[in-house]
Each structure stands twice: as C-alpha cells, then as structure tokens.
Amino acid sequence: MGGIIKLDDELRNLADAGGEQAQGGMAVPWTVFDGERRLLLRKGAPIPSATPLRELLAQAVYRTRADGERPLRNEVHHAEQDDAKTTFFVIAELMARLNSLLRGIVNHQTETILPSLDDLAIAIQALCARDADAALAAIHLDPDGRYSVRHPMHCALLVELVAYRLGYQPDQRKHFVAAALTANVGMLELQERLQRLGRITALQRDEINQHPEHSAALLREAGVTDEDWLETVLQHHERMDGGGYPRGWAGERIHPGARVLALADVYHAKISERVSRPSMLPTQALRQMFLGQDKEVDQTMARVFIKELGVYPPGAFVRLHNGELAVVTHRGLDGVVPRVASVISPRGSAYPRPLPRETTRREYAVQETAERDESILVTDLLPLWAG
C-alpha cells in the first residue's frame, strides 16, 4: 500500500515531548501499523496517555504519510507505483487471490493456504486503514466478479470496519476477517448458482444448512486451529432469536465474530441483485436494520454497523435539492451530511466529470436516496477516490 513509511524515532519523540498534550486529547497524526502492517491506531484517534503510548511503541513500526508531507527519496518509486492503484483495483487484485485460495481449499491443495490467507486478511486491514470511504464505495459500486468471491471480499471489508469500531484488537479482527473470507467455502459452487436461481430445491436447502459445518471442516483440514476463526465460520448463520443454523443458538451464546459477520452478510445480500429479486438501496437496507426489522441480528452491533457506514454510505446515489444526481464520496463527520459529487444535471444530462458539492449548502442538500444511473460507469468515478 502506498504511503507506508518507517516510524523510526518519531513516535518515541512524540511520547517524550507530548505526554501532557496527549492527556489533553492530542490526535494521532498518522495511521500506525505493527511490523506485519496490522493496524494499531487510526489517524485522528486520541493519543493514549503516556504509559499506554509507550506500550504501543513496542509494536509500532510503520505509519502513513501525513497530509501535505513530501515522500522520502527512497520511497518515491514505490509510492508512484502504488498511487497508480486505486482502492478499487487493489480490491480486484485481492479478489483474484481469494478465488485461488478458496479453490485450493476445496481441492485440498492447502500447503500454503494459511500464510496466504493471513496475508490477505492483513492486506484488507491495511486497505481499510488507508481509505475506509473508498473501500465502502467499492462495496456499493462494483458488482463485477463471481459472487462467490465478491461477497466474501466485501463482507470481509465490512467486518474489519465494524469490528474496529466495536473496539476489537488487530489480531482478533484479523481472525474475523479471515472467517468472512472463508465462511462459504463449503458451498462455493452452489453459492454461485443461487444467484441465478429463482427457487431452491430441498437438496440445495440441505446443502445451505450444512455449509457452515462443511466450511469449518475444510478449514480444519487446511490447518486452521484458531477457535475465533472456526467458531465465527460455524456460527455466522445463527440468529439472535434462535432461528438460525446449524445449532439453533441464540443471544449472547453466539460468538461475537459471528454476530458481526452476520450483519455484513445480511447487509451485502440485501444490496446485491439476484434473479429472484432486485437489489435494495443501501439506505433502505440500513433502515431495515435500524428499525429492527431484522430482529435475528444483534441490534446493539447493528447500531454500530449503521454508524460506521453512515446514513448515506460512500458509493450510494442521492438526489440533491437542486435536482442533480450525485454519488456519495465520503461519509462526513457525522455520516448524515456526506461529501458528494454530482454526475447528472437537473435536466438529466451527464456532466463531463463529477462535480464536488457541499451538502451543507441548501441547494446541494441531500433530498433522498436514488437508484444508480446505469450511464455512469465505475471508471468515470474512480478519480473521486484516487490517491
């Protein structure tokens, strides 16, 4: 990922000089990673008091570049290479890797599966740390690729973002992310067929009901021993009211990772089109969760999920007060007043390029959510999240 540089003595100097300031609420000027590039602290988070900060020093190795900071000479070449890759392209590359790994698990070719899945989960964590808004935009805008690969990838991104918001530590989140990537490996081919089917046969229903156990068995065979990972896979279709499968567990008995993954799974399924039904607008899907219509999911986590995505998630289309059609680019500070770019004029003609609009101004205030205009290509929107 672009912009990652060695911390050297910078964080130590911050601890030496900023202990009193840190206690006063000073914000971290960069996103900080450990030696394996796992997220430790996001940019803008309050710096812990001096003692916890010094404990963090033992792990912190890398940071992102601060706004306006010039690249170091020895990283210019790498930065130029990475900056050419938007988050959308990185996700596409990760999906290609995931496809190979899932096929390897199904075909029992598991010699290098575990380290590769570990690397993939860490890459997803780093991607979310670098630009969460771009990751969310990719989830909502990019329907390309096999659903059996796109669905787990997008769920993994959602799980990382929400689990971070819930306060889970990097290693635990990594196992939740790995579970999201592999939860449906036990029904890989059927999952692809289900997107094209209007009805499900009794045999297919049996296979669906058995896939959490089948997935967990395949993962154990591949060498997975982490119980957070395995239990999240086993329980991701359990429901808070006890109406799920395969065990029929309810409430707090369900693993927290499985409850987070269930939210991501339900939400992504709602916004994804199938032969049997059209896709739901992101705001409609979130509203169902907010109103508690999906009572089988953890409602406390659902509120956190909605807060993380924002009322108008990046990648959603909205109609502005002046009649323009715009795409949400960033959630904004509170998720209610997003940053947007207009793509269609009030008269219905496409603008040559997206035009940033300030939704705090009356004429550009968001009036309602809207369907995506199919004349607007994803490639036309990529510059909105470049860099």
Side-chain angles (χ1 to χ4, degrees):
M1 56 184 288
I4 291 292
I5 57 180
K6 279 275 192 177
L7 267 171
D8 298 322
D9 293 325
E10 291 174 304
L11 198 57
R12 292 163 181 80
N13 293 337
L14 189 65
D16 292 336
E20 295 181 2
Q21 289 178 305
Q23 293 179 15
M26 181 179 173
V28 178
W30 334 277
T31 296
V32 182
F33 303 86
D34 68 9
E36 296 183 11
R37 300 196 176 188
R38 289 176 294 202
L39 176 67
L40 295 177
L41 207 60
R42 289 187 192 275
K43 175 183 174 182
I47 292 179
S49 60
T51 301
L53 182 58
R54 291 185 183 282
E55 294 175 358
L56 188 65
L57 301 183
Q59 305 175 60
V61 178
Y62 299 103
R63 69 168 175 86
T64 54
R65 189 181 299 114
D67 292 340
E69 183 178 355
R70 295 178 63 85
L72 300 176
R73 288 185 180 181
N74 63 357
E75 58 167 335
V76 169
H77 176 66
H78 296 294
E80 288 175 348
Q81 287 182 326
D82 289 342
D83 286 344
K85 298 180 179 180
T86 68
T87 297
F88 287 71
F89 289 119
V90 174
I91 291 174
E93 292 175 349
L94 297 180
M95 284 173 59
R97 287 167 56 185
L98 176 60
N99 183 56
S100 297
L101 292 173
L102 293 176
R103 302 291 164 185
I105 294 172
V106 171
N107 294 323
H108 310 287
Q109 300 167 346
T110 59
E111 294 83 359
T112 61
I113 291 293
L114 281 185
S116 297
L117 280 171
D118 193 70
D119 289 345
L120 190 58
I122 291 171
I124 288 170
Q125 290 184 296
L127 190 69
C128 290
R130 179 185 181 185
D131 195 338
D133 289 300
L136 287 170
I139 291 169
H140 294 102
L141 282 174
D142 195 357
D144 293 334
R146 292 170 60 90
Y147 184 79
S148 58
V149 178
R150 174 166 46 87
H151 178 72
M153 177 58 64
H154 289 177
C155 283
L157 292 165
L158 291 168
V159 164
E160 165 61 18
L161 291 169
V162 176
Y164 176 87
R165 172 77 70 144
L166 286 165
Y168 289 99
Q169 295 301 306
D171 276 341
Q172 197 166 18
R173 295 201 314 273
K174 183 181 71 172
H175 294 140
F176 294 173
V177 169
L181 294 172
T182 55
N184 293 331
V185 69
M187 52 172 275
L188 210 56
E189 294 303 328
L190 176 59
Q191 188 178 30
E192 200 64 45
R193 293 200 303 273
L194 291 177
Q195 288 300 105
R196 304 187 297 269
L197 295 174
R199 293 183 178 180
I200 298 175
T201 68
L203 286 175
Q204 289 167 338
R205 172 52 61 187
D206 286 342
E207 186 175 347
I208 292 170
N209 290 343
Q210 294 169 12
H211 88 268
E213 293 171 311
H214 188 199
S215 296
L218 286 171
L219 291 170
R220 288 188 187 278
E221 183 180 332
V224 176
T225 58
D226 181 83
E227 289 303 316
D228 281 331
W229 182 344
L230 293 169
E231 287 301 318
T232 297
V233 169
L234 271 170
Q235 300 178 37
H236 75 283
H237 278 293
E238 302 291 355
R239 295 295 178 253
M240 296 298 286
D241 60 4
Y245 57 87
R247 297 166 172 168
W249 285 3
E252 295 297 318
R253 191 177 185 186
I254 303 171
H255 192 283
R259 282 181 266 154
V260 177
L261 178 51
L263 285 166
D265 183 65
V266 168
Y267 175 76
H268 191 263
K270 288 180 183 295
I271 65 171
S272 299
E273 184 176 4
R274 291 185 179 177
V275 171
S276 57
R277 57 161 177 78
S279 60
M280 189 178 291
L281 292 176
T283 46
Q284 292 175 330
L286 290 171
R287 188 178 299 115
Q288 281 193 0
M289 298 167 75
F290 180 75
L291 294 175
Q293 293 176 8
D294 289 315
K295 294 185 183 298
E296 63 275 353
V297 299
D298 186 315
Q299 286 300 301
T300 300
M301 287 186 175
R303 287 191 288 272
V304 175
F305 186 95
I306 294 163
K307 187 174 182 180
E308 178 62 20
L309 268 68
V311 175
Y312 305 105
F317 280 77
V318 292
R319 186 71 61 182
L320 305 185
H321 187 268
N322 68 349
E324 290 178 333
L325 181 69
V327 61
V328 178
T329 61
H330 299 79
R331 292 161 290 180
L333 293 178
D334 56 6
V336 178
V337 185
R339 289 164 54 187
V340 306
S342 292
V343 291
I344 300 290
S345 76
R347 296 183 177 181
S349 58
Y351 289 127
R353 64 181 182 279
L355 302 176
R357 299 301 193 201
E358 180 54 66
T359 57
T360 55
R361 295 177 58 181
R362 183 176 182 276
E363 64 268 37
Y364 301 135
V366 175
Q367 290 293 99
E368 60 182 358
T369 55
E371 297 284 353
R372 175 181 172 181
D373 189 310
E374 294 302 323
S375 68
I376 304 300
L377 304 177
V378 173
T379 51
D380 296 331
L381 303 174
L382 292 184
L384 296 171
W385 297 279

